[in-house]
Amino acid sequence: MSPDPLSATFAALADPTRRAILARLALGETHVGELARPFAISGPAITKHLKVLESAGLISRSRTAQQRPAKLEAEALKAASEWLTAYRRFWEEKFDDLDAYLDELQHKGEKR
């Protein structure tokens, strides 16, 4: 059974190498050799990372002659961003409540 798309996205993003690959692909399409260059890992290891990213829908790969360039599919990040936005709103409200409470405590202390 394959995970739901949101779980696949977060699983793919859980690895720092894959996040770095996505950051590089945000600059434009490139091939495996270029993606592997900054990492001290093998070509097959990079290919495995690319397969995880591709399975999650975060990248696409095409074939041109001997190359298989990878391209960022930023739309796939939209669901993760929307999910996180709901929680950001929650925490912003909690911080606003905390600020109000601290202001109230400070004003009570000043009145004494």
Side-chain angles (χ1 to χ4, degrees):
M1 184 170 110
S2 63
D4 64 279
L6 189 59
S7 295
T9 297
F10 282 119
L13 293 173
D15 185 276
T17 300
R18 290 193 286 266
R19 291 192 305 271
I21 289 169
L22 290 177
R24 169 52 190 90
L25 290 175
L27 301 174
E29 184 175 302
T30 192
H31 56 86
V32 175
E34 179 68 26
L35 290 170
R37 189 167 290 133
F39 305 105
I41 58 177
S42 68
I46 287 291
T47 299
K48 286 182 181 180
H49 284 298
L50 293 175
K51 286 180 181 180
V52 170
L53 292 168
E54 192 171 21
S55 292
L58 297 171
I59 67 167
S60 61
R61 296 174 72 192
S62 59
R63 184 177 297 278
T64 56
Q66 298 292 337
Q67 301 290 324
R68 292 225 40 216
K71 175 182 160 189
L72 177 66
E73 297 296 338
E75 184 67 26
L77 293 170
K78 186 177 180 182
S81 177
E82 289 171 352
W83 188 85
L84 290 169
T85 296
Y87 288 94
R88 186 182 81 221
R89 281 190 218 115
F90 170 80
W91 283 110
E92 285 173 352
E93 288 175 14
K94 294 299 178 193
F95 288 135
D96 289 345
D97 292 346
L98 179 59
D99 282 341
Y101 177 70
L102 292 174
D103 284 344
E104 181 183 323
L105 286 179
Q106 187 176 12
H107 288 359
K108 283 182 182 179
E110 289 173 359
K111 289 181 181 179
R112 287 186 191 173

